[in-house]
Amino acid sequence: MIYEHAELLVHPGAGVRLEADFAAARHLLLETSGCRSAELLRSVDQPDTYLLRVGWERLEDHTEVFPGTPQAKAFAEAVAPHCVARPRVVHYAAQEDVTTAG
């Protein structure tokens, strides 16, 4: 499992609208092949900052499959207007997916 972490910086005061639009659009992510979870977390110490955390089966499900889907376009249309810039995205492997050399 791969987790996408997208840091969203939103226009001042737009958080409530972002949260409502995310709640209405979350199903778009979950309907996409390879998507297993999606949540939006509000920062407690940085106003107008959110973390979009999405669980994908594989990195390619997010980077190759998702961008070409109607769901990606609709999700971006719901969330992007609230953001001041493109999100900073980092991918993380779940602990069980990390292999270590012995």
Side-chain angles (χ1 to χ4, degrees):
M1 180 88 95
I2 299 297
Y3 290 95
E4 165 198 359
H5 283 198
E7 184 180 63
L8 308 177
L9 303 176
V10 301
H11 295 284
V16 172
R17 291 186 307 277
L18 171 67
E19 292 173 20
D21 287 346
F22 172 79
R26 181 175 177 263
H27 71 94
L28 296 166
L29 292 169
L30 297 173
E31 292 170 358
T32 304
S33 177
C35 183
R36 294 294 165 248
S37 63
E39 63 183 338
L40 184 67
L41 307 169
R42 182 175 36 92
S43 174
V44 296
D45 57 359
Q46 295 183 21
D48 304 316
T49 301
Y50 285 80
L51 175 67
L52 172 63
R53 184 173 186 260
V54 183
W56 299 95
E57 286 183 19
R58 308 170 306 132
L59 177 63
E60 296 80 12
D61 291 325
H62 178 230
T63 60
E64 296 174 17
V65 176
F66 181 64
T69 64
Q71 291 94 331
K73 183 175 189 265
F75 186 78
E77 288 172 353
V79 173
H82 304 294
C83 299
V84 298
R86 292 184 66 97
R88 186 176 80 88
V89 178
V90 179
H91 295 94
Y92 297 89
Q95 193 62 36
E96 63 270 8
D97 292 340
V98 177
T99 59
T100 57

